[in-house]
PDB file of all heavy atoms in Angstrom:
ATOM      1  N   VAL A   8      66.205  22.681 -28.252  1.00  0.00           N
ATOM      2  CA  VAL A   8      65.852  21.542 -27.402  1.00  0.00           C
ATOM      3  C   VAL A   8      67.108  20.968 -26.750  1.00  0.00           C
ATOM      4  O   VAL A   8      67.136  20.679 -25.539  1.00  0.00           O
ATOM      5  CB  VAL A   8      65.122  20.462 -28.221  1.00  0.00           C
ATOM      6  CG1 VAL A   8      65.021  19.160 -27.428  1.00  0.00           C
ATOM      7  CG2 VAL A   8      63.734  20.937 -28.620  1.00  0.00           C
ATOM      8  N   VAL A   9      68.169  20.811 -27.535  1.00  0.00           N
ATOM      9  CA  VAL A   9      69.414  20.263 -27.004  1.00  0.00           C
ATOM     10  C   VAL A   9      69.993  21.199 -25.937  1.00  0.00           C
ATOM     11  O   VAL A   9      70.503  20.752 -24.905  1.00  0.00           O
ATOM     12  CB  VAL A   9      70.426  20.026 -28.141  1.00  0.00           C
ATOM     13  CG1 VAL A   9      71.765  19.589 -27.585  1.00  0.00           C
ATOM     14  CG2 VAL A   9      69.903  18.969 -29.101  1.00  0.00           C
ATOM     15  N   ARG A  10      69.920  22.500 -26.170  1.00  0.00           N
ATOM     16  CA  ARG A  10      70.434  23.462 -25.187  1.00  0.00           C
ATOM     17  C   ARG A  10      69.670  23.365 -23.870  1.00  0.00           C
ATOM     18  O   ARG A  10      70.266  23.393 -22.785  1.00  0.00           O
ATOM     19  CB  ARG A  10      70.329  24.890 -25.736  1.00  0.00           C
ATOM     20  CG  ARG A  10      70.983  25.942 -24.850  1.00  0.00           C
ATOM     21  CD  ARG A  10      70.643  27.343 -25.311  1.00  0.00           C
ATOM     22  NE  ARG A  10      69.235  27.678 -25.082  1.00  0.00           N
ATOM     23  CZ  ARG A  10      68.765  28.106 -23.915  1.00  0.00           C
ATOM     24  NH1 ARG A  10      69.577  28.272 -22.880  1.00  0.00           N
ATOM     25  NH2 ARG A  10      67.478  28.397 -23.785  1.00  0.00           N
ATOM     26  N   LEU A  11      68.352  23.238 -23.960  1.00  0.00           N
ATOM     27  CA  LEU A  11      67.543  23.133 -22.748  1.00  0.00           C
ATOM     28  C   LEU A  11      67.831  21.838 -21.986  1.00  0.00           C
ATOM     29  O   LEU A  11      67.826  21.824 -20.740  1.00  0.00           O
ATOM     30  CB  LEU A  11      66.060  23.223 -23.098  1.00  0.00           C
ATOM     31  CG  LEU A  11      65.585  24.595 -23.591  1.00  0.00           C
ATOM     32  CD1 LEU A  11      64.130  24.527 -24.042  1.00  0.00           C
ATOM     33  CD2 LEU A  11      65.757  25.643 -22.491  1.00  0.00           C
ATOM     34  N   VAL A  12      68.084  20.752 -22.713  1.00  0.00           N
ATOM     35  CA  VAL A  12      68.460  19.494 -22.054  1.00  0.00           C
ATOM     36  C   VAL A  12      69.774  19.666 -21.306  1.00  0.00           C
ATOM     37  O   VAL A  12      69.911  19.258 -20.139  1.00  0.00           O
ATOM     38  CB  VAL A  12      68.564  18.357 -23.085  1.00  0.00           C
ATOM     39  CG1 VAL A  12      69.192  17.115 -22.449  1.00  0.00           C
ATOM     40  CG2 VAL A  12      67.191  18.015 -23.646  1.00  0.00           C
ATOM     41  N   ALA A  13      70.757  20.279 -21.958  1.00  0.00           N
ATOM     42  CA  ALA A  13      72.048  20.500 -21.310  1.00  0.00           C
ATOM     43  C   ALA A  13      71.922  21.423 -20.100  1.00  0.00           C
ATOM     44  O   ALA A  13      72.640  21.264 -19.105  1.00  0.00           O
ATOM     45  CB  ALA A  13      73.044  21.088 -22.313  1.00  0.00           C
ATOM     46  N   LEU A  14      70.998  22.362 -20.161  1.00  0.00           N
ATOM     47  CA  LEU A  14      70.831  23.327 -19.072  1.00  0.00           C
ATOM     48  C   LEU A  14      70.098  22.726 -17.876  1.00  0.00           C
ATOM     49  O   LEU A  14      70.416  23.040 -16.715  1.00  0.00           O
ATOM     50  CB  LEU A  14      70.071  24.547 -19.588  1.00  0.00           C
ATOM     51  CG  LEU A  14      69.822  25.687 -18.596  1.00  0.00           C
ATOM     52  CD1 LEU A  14      71.148  26.308 -18.150  1.00  0.00           C
ATOM     53  CD2 LEU A  14      68.918  26.749 -19.219  1.00  0.00           C
ATOM     54  N   ASN A  15      69.140  21.836 -18.139  1.00  0.00           N
ATOM     55  CA  ASN A  15      68.252  21.369 -17.063  1.00  0.00           C
ATOM     56  C   ASN A  15      68.564  19.965 -16.551  1.00  0.00           C
ATOM     57  O   ASN A  15      68.115  19.614 -15.456  1.00  0.00           O
ATOM     58  CB  ASN A  15      66.802  21.414 -17.547  1.00  0.00           C
ATOM     59  CG  ASN A  15      66.318  22.831 -17.780  1.00  0.00           C
ATOM     60  OD1 ASN A  15      66.113  23.592 -16.839  1.00  0.00           O
ATOM     61  ND2 ASN A  15      66.160  23.203 -19.042  1.00  0.00           N
ATOM     62  N   TRP A  16      69.294  19.164 -17.298  1.00  0.00           N
ATOM     63  CA  TRP A  16      69.644  17.825 -16.808  1.00  0.00           C
ATOM     64  C   TRP A  16      70.907  17.961 -15.952  1.00  0.00           C
ATOM     65  O   TRP A  16      71.994  17.533 -16.320  1.00  0.00           O
ATOM     66  CB  TRP A  16      69.861  16.862 -17.966  1.00  0.00           C
ATOM     67  CG  TRP A  16      69.825  15.423 -17.542  1.00  0.00           C
ATOM     68  CD1 TRP A  16      69.710  14.932 -16.272  1.00  0.00           C
ATOM     69  CD2 TRP A  16      69.906  14.282 -18.400  1.00  0.00           C
ATOM     70  NE1 TRP A  16      69.718  13.564 -16.276  1.00  0.00           N
ATOM     71  CE2 TRP A  16      69.832  13.134 -17.559  1.00  0.00           C
ATOM     72  CE3 TRP A  16      70.024  14.123 -19.771  1.00  0.00           C
ATOM     73  CZ2 TRP A  16      69.899  11.843 -18.081  1.00  0.00           C
ATOM     74  CZ3 TRP A  16      70.080  12.839 -20.288  1.00  0.00           C
ATOM     75  CH2 TRP A  16      70.010  11.710 -19.455  1.00  0.00           C
ATOM     76  N   VAL A  17      70.741  18.545 -14.791  1.00  0.00           N
ATOM     77  CA  VAL A  17      71.872  18.920 -13.940  1.00  0.00           C
ATOM     78  C   VAL A  17      72.645  17.695 -13.465  1.00  0.00           C
ATOM     79  O   VAL A  17      73.877  17.727 -13.337  1.00  0.00           O
ATOM     80  CB  VAL A  17      71.380  19.754 -12.748  1.00  0.00           C
ATOM     81  CG1 VAL A  17      72.528  20.111 -11.821  1.00  0.00           C
ATOM     82  CG2 VAL A  17      70.672  21.013 -13.243  1.00  0.00           C
ATOM     83  N   GLU A  18      71.944  16.586 -13.199  1.00  0.00           N
ATOM     84  CA  GLU A  18      72.619  15.388 -12.694  1.00  0.00           C
ATOM     85  C   GLU A  18      73.668  14.872 -13.683  1.00  0.00           C
ATOM     86  O   GLU A  18      74.706  14.341 -13.269  1.00  0.00           O
ATOM     87  CB  GLU A  18      71.588  14.290 -12.414  1.00  0.00           C
ATOM     88  CG  GLU A  18      72.186  13.058 -11.741  1.00  0.00           C
ATOM     89  CD  GLU A  18      71.149  11.982 -11.503  1.00  0.00           C
ATOM     90  OE1 GLU A  18      70.006  12.123 -11.999  1.00  0.00           O
ATOM     91  OE2 GLU A  18      71.480  11.007 -10.813  1.00  0.00           O
ATOM     92  N   LEU A  19      73.417  15.062 -14.968  1.00  0.00           N
ATOM     93  CA  LEU A  19      74.355  14.575 -15.980  1.00  0.00           C
ATOM     94  C   LEU A  19      75.325  15.662 -16.432  1.00  0.00           C
ATOM     95  O   LEU A  19      76.540  15.433 -16.503  1.00  0.00           O
ATOM     96  CB  LEU A  19      73.585  14.039 -17.194  1.00  0.00           C
ATOM     97  CG  LEU A  19      74.435  13.533 -18.366  1.00  0.00           C
ATOM     98  CD1 LEU A  19      75.239  12.298 -17.942  1.00  0.00           C
ATOM     99  CD2 LEU A  19      73.556  13.201 -19.575  1.00  0.00           C
ATOM    100  N   THR A  20      74.812  16.841 -16.754  1.00  0.00           N
ATOM    101  CA  THR A  20      75.634  17.882 -17.390  1.00  0.00           C
ATOM    102  C   THR A  20      76.109  18.971 -16.430  1.00  0.00           C
ATOM    103  O   THR A  20      76.853  19.853 -16.853  1.00  0.00           O
ATOM    104  CB  THR A  20      74.836  18.557 -18.515  1.00  0.00           C
ATOM    105  OG1 THR A  20      73.731  19.292 -17.944  1.00  0.00           O
ATOM    106  CG2 THR A  20      74.304  17.537 -19.507  1.00  0.00           C
ATOM    107  N   GLN A  21      75.650  18.929 -15.170  1.00  0.00           N
ATOM    108  CA  GLN A  21      75.937  19.982 -14.181  1.00  0.00           C
ATOM    109  C   GLN A  21      75.260  21.308 -14.525  1.00  0.00           C
ATOM    110  O   GLN A  21      75.463  22.305 -13.833  1.00  0.00           O
ATOM    111  CB  GLN A  21      77.447  20.216 -14.036  1.00  0.00           C
ATOM    112  CG  GLN A  21      78.238  19.006 -13.617  1.00  0.00           C
ATOM    113  CD  GLN A  21      77.787  18.453 -12.262  1.00  0.00           C
ATOM    114  OE1 GLN A  21      77.598  19.209 -11.316  1.00  0.00           O
ATOM    115  NE2 GLN A  21      77.606  17.150 -12.193  1.00  0.00           N
ATOM    116  N   GLY A  22      74.469  21.332 -15.590  1.00  0.00           N
ATOM    117  CA  GLY A  22      73.713  22.525 -15.951  1.00  0.00           C
ATOM    118  C   GLY A  22      74.582  23.759 -16.065  1.00  0.00           C
ATOM    119  O   GLY A  22      75.679  23.717 -16.638  1.00  0.00           O
ATOM    120  N   PRO A  23      74.133  24.882 -15.500  1.00  0.00           N
ATOM    121  CA  PRO A  23      74.913  26.130 -15.599  1.00  0.00           C
ATOM    122  C   PRO A  23      76.199  26.102 -14.787  1.00  0.00           C
ATOM    123  O   PRO A  23      77.042  27.006 -14.933  1.00  0.00           O
ATOM    124  CB  PRO A  23      73.945  27.194 -15.060  1.00  0.00           C
ATOM    125  CG  PRO A  23      72.992  26.436 -14.190  1.00  0.00           C
ATOM    126  CD  PRO A  23      72.850  25.081 -14.823  1.00  0.00           C
ATOM    127  N   LEU A  24      76.366  25.094 -13.930  1.00  0.00           N
ATOM    128  CA  LEU A  24      77.602  24.993 -13.144  1.00  0.00           C
ATOM    129  C   LEU A  24      78.774  24.521 -13.984  1.00  0.00           C
ATOM    130  O   LEU A  24      79.925  24.649 -13.571  1.00  0.00           O
ATOM    131  CB  LEU A  24      77.397  24.035 -11.955  1.00  0.00           C
ATOM    132  CG  LEU A  24      76.323  24.460 -10.940  1.00  0.00           C
ATOM    133  CD1 LEU A  24      76.199  23.412  -9.848  1.00  0.00           C
ATOM    134  CD2 LEU A  24      76.661  25.813 -10.349  1.00  0.00           C
ATOM    135  N   ALA A  25      78.513  23.933 -15.135  1.00  0.00           N
ATOM    136  CA  ALA A  25      79.523  23.530 -16.116  1.00  0.00           C
ATOM    137  C   ALA A  25      80.219  22.226 -15.729  1.00  0.00           C
ATOM    138  O   ALA A  25      80.335  21.874 -14.553  1.00  0.00           O
ATOM    139  CB  ALA A  25      80.567  24.631 -16.332  1.00  0.00           C
ATOM    140  N   LEU A  26      80.664  21.527 -16.738  1.00  0.00           N
ATOM    141  CA  LEU A  26      81.524  20.356 -16.551  1.00  0.00           C
ATOM    142  C   LEU A  26      82.969  20.848 -16.493  1.00  0.00           C
ATOM    143  O   LEU A  26      83.432  21.527 -17.417  1.00  0.00           O
ATOM    144  CB  LEU A  26      81.364  19.368 -17.716  1.00  0.00           C
ATOM    145  CG  LEU A  26      80.064  18.575 -17.785  1.00  0.00           C
ATOM    146  CD1 LEU A  26      80.012  17.762 -19.074  1.00  0.00           C
ATOM    147  CD2 LEU A  26      79.920  17.645 -16.586  1.00  0.00           C
ATOM    148  N   THR A  27      83.665  20.508 -15.438  1.00  0.00           N
ATOM    149  CA  THR A  27      85.039  20.985 -15.264  1.00  0.00           C
ATOM    150  C   THR A  27      85.994  19.796 -15.153  1.00  0.00           C
ATOM    151  O   THR A  27      85.571  18.650 -14.960  1.00  0.00           O
ATOM    152  CB  THR A  27      85.166  21.850 -14.008  1.00  0.00           C
ATOM    153  OG1 THR A  27      84.763  21.071 -12.866  1.00  0.00           O
ATOM    154  CG2 THR A  27      84.279  23.086 -14.105  1.00  0.00           C
ATOM    155  N   GLY A  28      87.273  20.101 -15.267  1.00  0.00           N
ATOM    156  CA  GLY A  28      88.292  19.061 -15.125  1.00  0.00           C
ATOM    157  C   GLY A  28      88.325  18.081 -16.278  1.00  0.00           C
ATOM    158  O   GLY A  28      88.772  16.933 -16.112  1.00  0.00           O
ATOM    159  N   ILE A  29      87.866  18.488 -17.447  1.00  0.00           N
ATOM    160  CA  ILE A  29      87.902  17.606 -18.626  1.00  0.00           C
ATOM    161  C   ILE A  29      89.365  17.342 -18.991  1.00  0.00           C
ATOM    162  O   ILE A  29      90.142  18.290 -19.154  1.00  0.00           O
ATOM    163  CB  ILE A  29      87.166  18.255 -19.812  1.00  0.00           C
ATOM    164  CG1 ILE A  29      85.714  18.575 -19.414  1.00  0.00           C
ATOM    165  CG2 ILE A  29      87.196  17.343 -21.030  1.00  0.00           C
ATOM    166  CD1 ILE A  29      84.979  19.418 -20.436  1.00  0.00           C
ATOM    167  N   PRO A  30      89.759  16.093 -19.109  1.00  0.00           N
ATOM    168  CA  PRO A  30      91.176  15.807 -19.379  1.00  0.00           C
ATOM    169  C   PRO A  30      91.568  16.168 -20.805  1.00  0.00           C
ATOM    170  O   PRO A  30      90.745  16.087 -21.728  1.00  0.00           O
ATOM    171  CB  PRO A  30      91.284  14.296 -19.143  1.00  0.00           C
ATOM    172  CG  PRO A  30      89.905  13.782 -19.399  1.00  0.00           C
ATOM    173  CD  PRO A  30      88.960  14.860 -18.943  1.00  0.00           C
ATOM    174  N   PRO A  31      92.828  16.563 -21.015  1.00  0.00           N
ATOM    175  CA  PRO A  31      93.300  16.838 -22.379  1.00  0.00           C
ATOM    176  C   PRO A  31      93.516  15.538 -23.147  1.00  0.00           C
ATOM    177  O   PRO A  31      93.537  14.445 -22.562  1.00  0.00           O
ATOM    178  CB  PRO A  31      94.625  17.573 -22.143  1.00  0.00           C
ATOM    179  CG  PRO A  31      95.096  17.055 -20.824  1.00  0.00           C
ATOM    180  CD  PRO A  31      93.868  16.809 -19.996  1.00  0.00           C
ATOM    181  N   PHE A  32      93.687  15.655 -24.452  1.00  0.00           N
ATOM    182  CA  PHE A  32      93.943  14.483 -25.275  1.00  0.00           C
ATOM    183  C   PHE A  32      95.289  13.871 -24.937  1.00  0.00           C
ATOM    184  O   PHE A  32      96.263  14.578 -24.642  1.00  0.00           O
ATOM    185  CB  PHE A  32      93.921  14.857 -26.767  1.00  0.00           C
ATOM    186  CG  PHE A  32      92.545  14.960 -27.343  1.00  0.00           C
ATOM    187  CD1 PHE A  32      92.000  16.194 -27.639  1.00  0.00           C
ATOM    188  CD2 PHE A  32      91.793  13.822 -27.590  1.00  0.00           C
ATOM    189  CE1 PHE A  32      90.734  16.294 -28.178  1.00  0.00           C
ATOM    190  CE2 PHE A  32      90.517  13.912 -28.125  1.00  0.00           C
ATOM    191  CZ  PHE A  32      89.991  15.146 -28.419  1.00  0.00           C
ATOM    192  N   SER A  33      95.342  12.548 -25.003  1.00  0.00           N
ATOM    193  CA  SER A  33      96.592  11.811 -24.870  1.00  0.00           C
ATOM    194  C   SER A  33      96.730  10.910 -26.087  1.00  0.00           C
ATOM    195  O   SER A  33      95.799  10.162 -26.420  1.00  0.00           O
ATOM    196  CB  SER A  33      96.612  10.968 -23.585  1.00  0.00           C
ATOM    197  OG  SER A  33      96.564  11.800 -22.448  1.00  0.00           O
ATOM    198  N   LEU A  34      97.860  10.992 -26.748  1.00  0.00           N
ATOM    199  CA  LEU A  34      98.098  10.221 -27.961  1.00  0.00           C
ATOM    200  C   LEU A  34      99.240   9.255 -27.729  1.00  0.00           C
ATOM    201  O   LEU A  34     100.292   9.628 -27.190  1.00  0.00           O
ATOM    202  CB  LEU A  34      98.427  11.149 -29.137  1.00  0.00           C
ATOM    203  CG  LEU A  34      97.380  12.211 -29.487  1.00  0.00           C
ATOM    204  CD1 LEU A  34      97.866  13.076 -30.639  1.00  0.00           C
ATOM    205  CD2 LEU A  34      96.053  11.560 -29.843  1.00  0.00           C
ATOM    206  N   GLY A  35      99.033   7.994 -28.141  1.00  0.00           N
ATOM    207  CA  GLY A  35     100.092   6.997 -28.052  1.00  0.00           C
ATOM    208  C   GLY A  35     100.949   7.022 -29.298  1.00  0.00           C
ATOM    209  O   GLY A  35     100.448   6.818 -30.408  1.00  0.00           O
ATOM    210  N   LEU A  36     102.226   7.281 -29.142  1.00  0.00           N
ATOM    211  CA  LEU A  36     103.159   7.349 -30.265  1.00  0.00           C
ATOM    212  C   LEU A  36     104.123   6.179 -30.199  1.00  0.00           C
ATOM    213  O   LEU A  36     104.698   5.897 -29.134  1.00  0.00           O
ATOM    214  CB  LEU A  36     103.941   8.669 -30.239  1.00  0.00           C
ATOM    215  CG  LEU A  36     103.095   9.942 -30.297  1.00  0.00           C
ATOM    216  CD1 LEU A  36     103.980  11.183 -30.191  1.00  0.00           C
ATOM    217  CD2 LEU A  36     102.286   9.986 -31.586  1.00  0.00           C
ATOM    218  N   PRO A  37     104.326   5.449 -31.322  1.00  0.00           N
ATOM    219  CA  PRO A  37     105.238   4.296 -31.317  1.00  0.00           C
ATOM    220  C   PRO A  37     106.641   4.704 -30.882  1.00  0.00           C
ATOM    221  O   PRO A  37     107.241   5.627 -31.418  1.00  0.00           O
ATOM    222  CB  PRO A  37     105.226   3.845 -32.790  1.00  0.00           C
ATOM    223  CG  PRO A  37     103.945   4.381 -33.343  1.00  0.00           C
ATOM    224  CD  PRO A  37     103.702   5.665 -32.629  1.00  0.00           C
ATOM    225  N   GLY A  38     107.149   3.993 -29.883  1.00  0.00           N
ATOM    226  CA  GLY A  38     108.498   4.241 -29.409  1.00  0.00           C
ATOM    227  C   GLY A  38     108.619   5.392 -28.431  1.00  0.00           C
ATOM    228  O   GLY A  38     109.676   5.559 -27.805  1.00  0.00           O
ATOM    229  N   LEU A  39     107.566   6.200 -28.309  1.00  0.00           N
ATOM    230  CA  LEU A  39     107.625   7.361 -27.411  1.00  0.00           C
ATOM    231  C   LEU A  39     106.631   7.261 -26.265  1.00  0.00           C
ATOM    232  O   LEU A  39     106.621   8.124 -25.388  1.00  0.00           O
ATOM    233  CB  LEU A  39     107.358   8.658 -28.208  1.00  0.00           C
ATOM    234  CG  LEU A  39     108.357   9.009 -29.306  1.00  0.00           C
ATOM    235  CD1 LEU A  39     107.904  10.252 -30.043  1.00  0.00           C
ATOM    236  CD2 LEU A  39     109.750   9.218 -28.718  1.00  0.00           C
TER     237      LEU A  39
END
């Protein structure tokens, strides 16, 4: 069911076109 939602709710998940440009993690380090 979850897979079908991800595949067909194109407005939110982009469906088979995929979500792209996801940013990498950024960590705040004291002093750095």
